[in-house]
Protein backbone atom coordinates (compact mmCIF):
# COMPACT_ATOMS: atom_id res chain seq x y z
CA UNK A 1 0.00 0.00 0.00
CA UNK A 2 1.41 3.37 -1.03
CA UNK A 3 2.04 5.84 1.78
CA UNK A 4 2.21 9.58 1.13
CA UNK A 5 4.70 12.07 2.56
CA UNK A 6 5.80 15.65 1.95
CA UNK A 7 2.23 16.95 2.42
CA UNK A 8 2.34 19.29 5.40
CA UNK A 9 3.86 22.30 3.62
CA UNK A 10 1.05 22.13 1.04
CA UNK A 11 -1.51 22.58 3.81
CA UNK A 12 -0.16 25.95 4.95
CA UNK A 13 0.51 27.17 1.40
CA UNK A 14 -1.12 30.61 1.14
CA UNK A 15 -3.15 29.66 -1.96
CA UNK A 16 -4.50 26.61 -0.14
CA UNK A 17 -5.49 28.78 2.85
CA UNK A 18 -7.31 31.26 0.56
CA UNK A 19 -9.20 28.44 -1.14
CA UNK A 20 -10.02 26.87 2.23
CA UNK A 21 -11.61 30.13 3.35
CA UNK A 22 -13.67 30.33 0.14
CA UNK A 23 -14.93 26.78 0.66
CA UNK A 24 -15.49 27.07 4.41
CA UNK A 25 -17.60 30.23 4.14
CA UNK A 26 -20.05 28.87 1.53
CA UNK A 27 -23.54 29.49 2.87
CA UNK A 28 -22.06 31.24 5.92
CA UNK A 29 -21.08 34.66 4.54
CA UNK A 30 -23.56 36.33 6.91
CA UNK A 31 -21.83 34.89 10.01
CA UNK A 32 -20.08 37.46 12.19
CA UNK A 33 -16.86 35.38 12.28
CA UNK A 34 -16.78 35.09 8.48
CA UNK A 35 -17.33 38.84 8.06
CA UNK A 36 -14.37 39.50 10.39
CA UNK A 37 -12.07 37.37 8.23
CA UNK A 38 -13.43 38.95 5.03
CA UNK A 39 -12.75 42.42 6.43
CA UNK A 40 -9.00 41.71 6.65
CA UNK A 41 -8.23 38.35 4.99
CA UNK A 42 -4.49 38.91 4.61
CA UNK A 43 -4.05 39.32 8.36
CA UNK A 44 -6.01 36.17 9.20
CA UNK A 45 -4.40 34.08 6.44
CA UNK A 46 -0.92 35.04 7.63
CA UNK A 47 -1.91 34.12 11.15
CA UNK A 48 -2.97 30.62 10.00
CA UNK A 49 0.17 30.34 7.89
CA UNK A 50 2.48 30.95 10.87
CA UNK A 51 0.36 28.84 13.24
CA UNK A 52 0.85 25.83 10.97
CA UNK A 53 4.39 26.55 9.84
CA UNK A 54 5.62 26.99 13.42
CA UNK A 55 3.37 24.16 14.68
CA UNK A 56 1.87 26.46 17.30
CA UNK A 57 -1.73 25.59 16.39
CA UNK A 58 -3.85 23.91 19.06
CA UNK A 59 -7.44 22.81 18.60
CA UNK A 60 -9.80 25.46 20.00
CA UNK A 61 -12.27 24.73 22.75
CA UNK A 62 -15.54 23.23 21.53
CA UNK A 63 -18.91 24.76 22.17
CA UNK A 64 -21.07 21.72 22.99
CA UNK A 65 -24.86 21.63 22.74
CA UNK A 66 -27.62 19.07 22.24
CA UNK A 67 -29.59 18.88 19.00
CA UNK A 68 -32.73 16.83 18.37
CA UNK A 69 -32.40 15.27 14.89
CA UNK A 70 -34.49 12.50 13.31
CA UNK A 71 -35.91 11.36 16.64
CA UNK A 72 -32.47 11.26 18.27
CA UNK A 73 -30.78 13.61 20.70
CA UNK A 74 -27.24 14.26 19.47
CA UNK A 75 -24.37 16.04 21.18
CA UNK A 76 -22.97 18.57 18.71
CA UNK A 77 -19.43 19.96 18.93
CA UNK A 78 -18.88 23.36 17.32
CA UNK A 79 -15.51 24.98 16.65
CA UNK A 80 -14.83 28.64 15.86
CA UNK A 81 -14.61 29.55 12.17
CA UNK A 82 -11.15 31.04 12.66
CA UNK A 83 -8.76 29.32 12.76
CA UNK A 84 -10.19 25.80 13.17
CA UNK A 85 -12.77 25.43 10.41
CA UNK A 86 -10.49 27.08 7.88
CA UNK A 87 -7.61 24.79 8.90
CA UNK A 88 -9.83 21.71 8.60
CA UNK A 89 -10.62 22.72 5.02
CA UNK A 90 -6.91 23.29 4.40
CA UNK A 91 -6.27 19.69 5.48
CA UNK A 92 -9.09 18.13 3.46
CA UNK A 93 -8.12 19.91 0.24
CA UNK A 94 -4.78 18.09 0.36
CA UNK A 95 -5.66 14.69 1.86
CA UNK A 96 -9.15 14.08 0.44
CA UNK A 97 -7.88 12.76 -2.94
CA UNK A 98 -5.63 10.31 -1.03
CA UNK A 99 -8.36 9.12 1.33
CA UNK A 100 -11.01 8.72 -1.38
CA UNK A 101 -8.79 6.17 -3.16
CA UNK A 102 -9.16 3.85 -0.17
CA UNK A 103 -13.00 3.89 -0.24
CA UNK A 104 -15.21 1.51 -2.20
CA UNK A 105 -17.63 3.06 -4.76
CA UNK A 106 -20.71 2.14 -2.69
CA UNK A 107 -20.10 4.39 0.29
CA UNK A 108 -21.78 7.76 -0.13
CA UNK A 109 -21.48 10.05 2.90
CA UNK A 110 -19.58 13.33 2.51
CA UNK A 111 -17.81 12.38 -0.73
CA UNK A 112 -17.70 14.73 -3.71
CA UNK A 113 -19.62 13.42 -6.69
CA UNK A 114 -21.45 10.74 -4.69
CA UNK A 115 -23.86 11.79 -1.98
CA UNK A 116 -27.40 10.64 -1.31
CA UNK A 117 -28.81 10.68 -4.82
CA UNK A 118 -25.84 8.78 -6.26
CA UNK A 119 -26.64 6.11 -3.68
CA UNK A 120 -30.34 6.21 -4.59
CA UNK A 121 -29.46 5.56 -8.23
CA UNK A 122 -27.22 2.60 -7.37
CA UNK A 123 -29.84 0.97 -5.14
CA UNK A 124 -32.47 1.35 -7.86
CA UNK A 125 -30.15 -0.37 -10.34
CA UNK A 126 -29.47 -3.19 -7.86
CA UNK A 127 -33.20 -3.74 -7.26
CA UNK A 128 -33.77 -4.34 -10.96
CA UNK A 129 -32.22 -7.75 -10.30
CA UNK A 130 -35.23 -9.06 -8.38
CA UNK A 131 -33.97 -12.62 -8.06
CA UNK A 132 -30.70 -11.59 -6.36
CA UNK A 133 -32.23 -8.92 -4.10
CA UNK A 134 -35.15 -10.75 -2.48
CA UNK A 135 -33.94 -10.08 1.07
CA UNK A 136 -32.36 -7.11 2.80
CA UNK A 137 -30.09 -6.84 5.84
CA UNK A 138 -30.37 -3.34 7.30
CA UNK A 139 -28.24 -2.38 10.28
CA UNK A 140 -26.11 0.34 11.80
CA UNK A 141 -23.38 0.80 14.41
CA UNK A 142 -24.34 1.59 17.99
CA UNK A 143 -23.23 5.13 18.94
CA UNK A 144 -20.68 5.09 16.14
CA UNK A 145 -19.08 8.53 16.40
CA UNK A 146 -18.63 8.55 20.20
CA UNK A 147 -17.27 4.96 20.07
CA UNK A 148 -14.42 5.48 17.60
CA UNK A 149 -11.13 4.37 19.17
CA UNK A 150 -8.38 6.98 18.75
CA UNK A 151 -5.48 4.51 18.65
CA UNK A 152 -7.12 2.44 15.92
CA UNK A 153 -8.03 5.56 13.93
CA UNK A 154 -4.46 6.84 14.13
CA UNK A 155 -3.09 3.50 12.96
CA UNK A 156 -5.48 3.62 9.97
CA UNK A 157 -4.23 7.11 9.06
CA UNK A 158 -0.62 5.90 9.21
CA UNK A 159 -1.36 3.26 6.58
CA UNK A 160 -1.72 6.04 4.00
CA UNK A 161 0.25 8.98 5.44
CA UNK A 162 3.89 9.03 6.55
CA UNK A 163 4.32 12.80 6.93
CA UNK A 164 5.07 13.21 10.66
CA UNK A 165 4.09 16.91 10.72
CA UNK A 166 0.70 16.21 9.17
CA UNK A 167 0.16 13.27 11.54
CA UNK A 168 0.97 15.61 14.46
CA UNK A 169 -1.76 17.98 13.24
CA UNK A 170 -4.33 15.22 12.70
CA UNK A 171 -3.53 13.55 16.04
CA UNK A 172 -4.14 16.83 17.86
CA UNK A 173 -7.54 17.24 16.23
CA UNK A 174 -8.49 13.59 16.91
CA UNK A 175 -7.50 13.84 20.59
CA UNK A 176 -9.48 17.06 21.10
CA UNK A 177 -12.71 15.20 21.97
CA UNK A 178 -13.94 11.69 22.83
CA UNK A 179 -14.53 9.51 19.77
CA UNK A 180 -15.20 11.61 16.68
CA UNK A 181 -17.10 14.82 17.49
CA UNK A 182 -20.31 15.29 15.49
CA UNK A 183 -20.27 18.75 13.90
CA UNK A 184 -16.54 18.73 13.21
CA UNK A 185 -15.82 19.15 9.47
CA UNK A 186 -13.31 16.28 9.52
CA UNK A 187 -15.60 13.87 11.37
CA UNK A 188 -17.48 12.25 8.48
CA UNK A 189 -14.26 11.84 6.50
CA UNK A 190 -12.55 10.17 9.45
CA UNK A 191 -15.64 8.03 9.99
CA UNK A 192 -15.49 6.85 6.37
CA UNK A 193 -11.85 5.90 6.82
CA UNK A 194 -12.57 4.07 10.07
CA UNK A 195 -15.16 1.81 8.42
CA UNK A 196 -13.34 1.49 5.10
CA UNK A 197 -11.74 -1.85 6.02
CA UNK A 198 -15.19 -3.22 6.89
CA UNK A 199 -16.37 -2.18 3.42
CA UNK A 200 -13.46 -3.98 1.75
CA UNK A 201 -13.99 -7.13 3.81
CA UNK A 202 -17.67 -7.17 2.94
CA UNK A 203 -16.91 -6.91 -0.77
CA UNK A 204 -13.75 -9.04 -0.97
CA UNK A 205 -14.17 -11.68 1.77
CA UNK A 206 -17.93 -11.95 2.32
CA UNK A 207 -18.48 -11.39 -1.44
CA UNK A 208 -21.45 -9.04 -0.93
CA UNK A 209 -22.38 -7.95 -4.43
CA UNK A 210 -25.03 -5.48 -3.29
CA UNK A 211 -23.50 -3.67 -0.31
CA UNK A 212 -24.22 0.01 0.46
CA UNK A 213 -23.09 2.26 3.32
CA UNK A 214 -23.95 5.82 4.31
CA UNK A 215 -22.04 6.91 7.44
CA UNK A 216 -22.67 3.95 9.77
CA UNK A 217 -25.94 2.82 8.12
CA UNK A 218 -25.48 -0.38 6.12
CA UNK A 219 -27.77 -2.12 3.61
CA UNK A 220 -26.94 -5.54 2.07
CA UNK A 221 -29.16 -7.25 -0.51
CA UNK A 222 -29.13 -10.98 -1.36
CA UNK A 223 -31.38 -13.82 -2.51
CA UNK A 224 -30.60 -16.02 0.52
CA UNK A 225 -31.80 -15.09 4.01
CA UNK A 226 -29.41 -17.61 5.61
CA UNK A 227 -26.45 -15.94 3.87
CA UNK A 228 -27.47 -12.56 5.30
CA UNK A 229 -27.57 -14.00 8.83
CA UNK A 230 -24.04 -15.33 8.31
CA UNK A 231 -22.89 -11.94 7.00
CA UNK A 232 -24.46 -10.24 10.01
CA UNK A 233 -22.53 -12.50 12.39
CA UNK A 234 -19.31 -11.85 10.45
CA UNK A 235 -19.98 -8.11 10.59
CA UNK A 236 -20.33 -8.28 14.39
CA UNK A 237 -16.88 -9.93 14.62
CA UNK A 238 -15.22 -7.40 12.32
CA UNK A 239 -16.78 -4.46 14.16
CA UNK A 240 -15.50 -5.89 17.46
CA UNK A 241 -11.95 -5.63 16.07
CA UNK A 242 -12.60 -1.88 15.73
CA UNK A 243 -14.12 -1.81 19.25
CA UNK A 244 -17.57 -1.13 17.79
CA UNK A 245 -20.93 -2.83 18.43
CA UNK A 246 -23.73 -3.57 15.96
CA UNK A 247 -26.95 -1.90 17.05
CA UNK A 248 -29.58 -4.34 18.33
CA UNK A 249 -32.29 -3.16 15.92
CA UNK A 250 -30.78 -4.90 12.86
CA UNK A 251 -33.35 -6.39 10.49
CA UNK A 252 -33.44 -9.08 7.80
CA UNK A 253 -36.66 -8.95 5.75
CA UNK A 254 -38.13 -9.62 2.30
CA UNK A 255 -37.99 -6.51 0.14
CA UNK A 256 -41.36 -7.15 -1.54
CA UNK A 257 -43.39 -7.28 1.68
CA UNK A 258 -41.70 -4.20 3.18
CA UNK A 259 -39.53 -1.40 1.91
CA UNK A 260 -35.88 -0.51 2.41
CA UNK A 261 -35.88 2.71 4.45
CA UNK A 262 -32.52 4.21 3.50
CA UNK A 263 -31.10 7.55 2.34
CA UNK A 264 -34.41 9.34 3.01
CA UNK A 265 -36.43 7.09 0.69
CA UNK A 266 -38.43 3.84 0.83
CA UNK A 267 -37.25 1.44 -1.87
CA UNK A 268 -39.36 -1.29 -3.43
CA UNK A 269 -38.39 -3.44 -6.41
CA UNK A 270 -40.58 -1.52 -8.86
CA UNK A 271 -40.82 1.95 -7.39
CA UNK A 272 -39.41 4.40 -4.84
CA UNK A 273 -41.25 6.64 -2.36
CA UNK A 274 -40.26 9.39 0.06
CA UNK A 275 -39.64 8.44 3.68
CA UNK A 276 -42.83 9.00 5.68
CA UNK A 277 -41.34 11.67 7.99
CA UNK A 278 -40.05 13.61 4.96
CA UNK A 279 -43.47 13.31 3.29
CA UNK A 280 -45.31 14.69 6.33
CA UNK A 281 -42.90 17.61 6.63
CA UNK A 282 -43.18 18.34 2.89
CA UNK A 283 -46.98 18.59 3.07
CA UNK A 284 -46.80 20.89 6.10
CA UNK A 285 -44.26 23.18 4.44
CA UNK A 286 -46.26 23.48 1.20
CA UNK A 287 -49.48 24.27 3.08
CA UNK A 288 -47.65 26.87 5.18
CA UNK A 289 -46.22 28.54 2.07
CA UNK A 290 -49.70 28.81 0.50
CA UNK A 291 -51.07 30.53 3.61
CA UNK A 292 -48.13 32.65 4.78
CA UNK A 293 -45.74 33.16 1.85
CA UNK A 294 -46.22 36.95 1.97
CA UNK A 295 -44.74 37.00 5.50
CA UNK A 296 -41.77 34.79 4.53
CA UNK A 297 -38.51 35.81 2.91
CA UNK A 298 -38.72 35.21 -0.88
CA UNK A 299 -35.40 33.36 -1.00
CA UNK A 300 -36.59 31.15 1.87
CA UNK A 301 -39.76 30.18 -0.02
CA UNK A 302 -37.76 29.40 -3.16
CA UNK A 303 -35.17 27.30 -1.31
CA UNK A 304 -37.85 25.28 0.54
CA UNK A 305 -39.81 24.44 -2.62
CA UNK A 306 -36.77 23.61 -4.72
CA UNK A 307 -35.20 21.65 -1.86
CA UNK A 308 -38.20 19.33 -1.66
CA UNK A 309 -38.55 19.17 -5.44
CA UNK A 310 -34.95 17.91 -5.52
CA UNK A 311 -36.06 15.00 -3.32
CA UNK A 312 -39.33 14.33 -5.14
CA UNK A 313 -37.83 14.06 -8.62
CA UNK A 314 -35.78 11.00 -7.56
CA UNK A 315 -38.90 9.13 -6.41
CA UNK A 316 -42.10 7.91 -8.08
CA UNK A 317 -44.10 10.86 -6.75
CA UNK A 318 -45.48 12.61 -9.83
CA UNK A 319 -49.07 12.84 -8.53
CA UNK A 320 -47.87 14.00 -5.11
CA UNK A 321 -45.66 16.63 -6.77
CA UNK A 322 -48.52 17.91 -8.94
CA UNK A 323 -50.87 18.02 -5.94
CA UNK A 324 -48.62 20.03 -3.61
CA UNK A 325 -46.29 21.92 -5.97
CA UNK A 326 -49.42 22.88 -7.89
CA UNK A 327 -50.56 25.99 -9.77
CA UNK A 328 -50.78 28.04 -6.55
CA UNK A 329 -47.19 27.22 -5.50
CA UNK A 330 -45.90 27.69 -9.06
CA UNK A 331 -47.63 31.08 -9.24
CA UNK A 332 -45.97 32.11 -5.95
CA UNK A 333 -42.54 30.99 -7.23
CA UNK A 334 -43.10 32.76 -10.58
CA UNK A 335 -44.02 35.97 -8.76
CA UNK A 336 -40.95 35.76 -6.50
CA UNK A 337 -38.66 35.14 -9.48
CA UNK A 338 -40.13 38.10 -11.40
CA UNK A 339 -39.73 40.43 -8.42
CA UNK A 340 -36.12 39.38 -7.88
CA UNK A 341 -35.32 39.15 -11.61
CA UNK A 342 -34.09 35.56 -11.45
CA UNK A 343 -34.80 32.49 -13.59
CA UNK A 344 -37.80 30.42 -12.53
CA UNK A 345 -36.38 26.94 -11.77
CA UNK A 346 -39.84 25.33 -11.84
CA UNK A 347 -40.68 26.59 -15.33
CA UNK A 348 -42.04 23.71 -17.45
CA UNK A 349 -40.66 21.05 -15.09
CA UNK A 350 -43.80 19.67 -13.45
CA UNK A 351 -47.07 20.55 -15.19
Amino acid sequence: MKRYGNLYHKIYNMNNICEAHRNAKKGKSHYREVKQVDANPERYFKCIYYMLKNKSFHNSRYRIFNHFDGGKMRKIYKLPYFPDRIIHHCIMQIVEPIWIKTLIPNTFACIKGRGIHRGVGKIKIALRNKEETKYCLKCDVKKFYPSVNHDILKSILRKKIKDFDLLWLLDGIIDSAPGIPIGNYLSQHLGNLYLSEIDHRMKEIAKCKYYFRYCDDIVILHHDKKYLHEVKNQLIEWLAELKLILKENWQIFPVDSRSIDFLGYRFFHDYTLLRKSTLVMFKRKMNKIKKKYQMMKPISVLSIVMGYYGWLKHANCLNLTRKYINCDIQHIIHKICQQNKIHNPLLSTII
Side-chain angles (χ1 to χ4, degrees):
M1 182 181 289
K2 183 177 180 181
R3 296 172 70 225
Y4 292 81
N6 199 29
L7 298 171
Y8 188 67
H9 72 280
K10 297 178 183 179
I11 289 170
Y12 63 80
N13 177 280
M14 193 59 77
N15 290 331
N16 191 50
I17 295 171
C18 293
E19 186 180 351
H21 170 58
R22 284 196 297 271
N23 291 329
K25 75 174 185 176
K26 286 179 182 176
K28 303 178 181 70
S29 297
H30 59 289
Y31 287 15
R32 179 177 55 83
E33 291 177 292
V34 177
K35 288 179 179 178
Q36 285 178 347
V37 176
D38 280 336
N40 191 354
E42 188 176 347
R43 172 176 168 251
Y44 287 98
F45 294 168
K46 281 184 177 179
C47 190
I48 290 174
Y49 172 85
Y50 286 112
M51 275 183 185
L52 294 176
K53 185 177 181 180
N54 300 331
K55 296 176 72 173
S56 61
F57 168 74
H58 296 286
N59 203 81
S60 299
R61 189 173 182 177
Y62 288 101
R63 183 168 70 86
I64 304 171
F65 57 94
N66 292 322
H67 176 66
F68 194 73
D69 177 38
K72 297 178 182 177
M73 186 65 74
R74 301 185 187 276
K75 186 177 284 188
I76 306 298
Y77 293 73
K78 187 174 181 181
L79 284 168
Y81 179 78
F82 172 85
D84 298 81
R85 293 191 68 84
I86 297 176
I87 287 176
H88 288 195
H89 278 267
C90 287
I91 295 168
M92 284 310 303
Q93 285 166 185
I94 301 303
V95 302
E96 187 175 27
I98 297 169
W99 288 352
I100 283 179
K101 291 177 184 177
T102 69
L103 304 177
I104 65 168
N106 282 9
T107 182
F108 306 105
C110 205
I111 302 171
K112 290 178 183 176
R114 299 192 195 179
I116 287 174
H117 292 122
R118 177 75 174 271
V120 169
K122 289 208 168 193
I123 291 175
K124 285 181 179 179
I125 291 169
L127 288 171
R128 290 175 191 169
N129 188 346
K130 294 183 181 181
E131 289 301 314
E132 291 294 320
T133 59
K134 287 182 179 178
Y135 296 97
C136 173
L137 165 60
K138 187 175 184 295
C139 56
D140 64 342
V141 179
K142 187 174 183 178
K143 295 183 178 178
F144 170 58
Y145 285 104
S147 302
V148 168
N149 182 278
H150 287 185
D151 291 333
I152 295 174
L153 178 57
K154 290 175 186 177
S155 70
I156 291 170
L157 292 177
R158 281 155 175 78
K159 290 178 182 178
K160 293 300 292 181
I161 295 172
K162 60 182 179 182
D163 186 317
F164 290 112
D165 291 331
L166 176 54
L167 290 170
W168 161 82
L169 179 59
L170 290 169
D171 288 352
I173 294 169
I174 290 167
D175 289 333
S176 64
I180 298 178
I182 298 173
N184 203 331
Y185 178 66
L186 285 173
S187 293
Q188 279 196 314
H189 300 281
L190 294 173
N192 275 335
L193 280 178
Y194 200 78
L195 291 177
S196 179
E197 190 170 343
I198 296 285
D199 298 339
H200 283 282
R201 289 182 179 184
M202 281 292 170
K203 297 294 285 184
E204 295 156 20
I205 298 176
K207 303 296 182 184
C208 297
K209 183 178 180 181
Y210 298 119
Y211 170 89
F212 308 93
R213 180 173 66 81
Y214 187 90
C215 295
D216 62 316
D217 291 326
I218 295 171
V219 162
I220 304 171
L221 304 173
H222 201 266
H223 69 272
D224 186 0
K225 187 189 289 189
K226 183 180 177 182
Y227 168 84
L228 290 177
H229 279 283
E230 291 171 356
V231 166
K232 184 264 297 180
N233 293 333
Q234 188 69 76
L235 178 58
I236 290 171
E237 291 180 21
W238 288 336
L239 286 173
E241 293 178 22
L242 296 175
K243 301 191 185 301
L244 298 174
I245 300 171
L246 193 71
K247 204 169 181 179
E248 298 85 357
N249 64 349
W250 59 269
Q251 301 171 338
I252 295 176
F253 55 87
V255 174
D256 278 335
S257 63
R258 292 177 55 181
S259 61
I260 305 167
D261 191 338
F262 189 54
L263 300 175
Y265 293 88
R266 293 165 57 214
F267 296 94
F268 298 84
H269 274 121
D270 296 316
Y271 58 95
T272 304
L273 302 177
L274 280 183
R275 179 177 284 162
K276 188 174 180 180
S277 58
T278 308
L279 177 63
V280 171
M281 187 58 68
F282 164 68
K283 291 178 178 179
R284 285 178 185 169
K285 292 279 188 182
M286 294 305 108
N287 289 330
K288 180 182 177 182
I289 286 171
K290 287 180 189 177
K291 294 176 183 177
K292 301 182 179 180
Y293 79 92
Q294 291 178 329
M295 294 182 284
M296 299 169 69
K297 291 181 180 179
I299 195 66
S300 177
V301 173
L302 187 62
S303 64
I304 290 169
V305 174
M306 293 314 300
Y308 277 107
Y309 179 62
W311 283 86
L312 288 162
K313 70 180 182 179
H314 291 277
N316 301 101
C317 299
L318 184 59
N319 290 336
L320 177 73
T321 305
R322 285 176 172 170
K323 182 177 179 180
Y324 283 91
I325 306 181
N326 54 21
C327 293
D328 292 337
I329 292 289
Q330 292 207 44
H331 177 72
I332 292 166
I333 296 299
H334 183 66
K335 188 175 179 181
I336 288 169
C337 291
Q338 278 189 326
Q339 290 173 348
N340 292 273
K341 297 180 180 180
I342 57 176
H343 171 70
N344 184 351
L346 280 176
L347 205 60
S348 303
T349 58
I350 301 171
I351 299 175

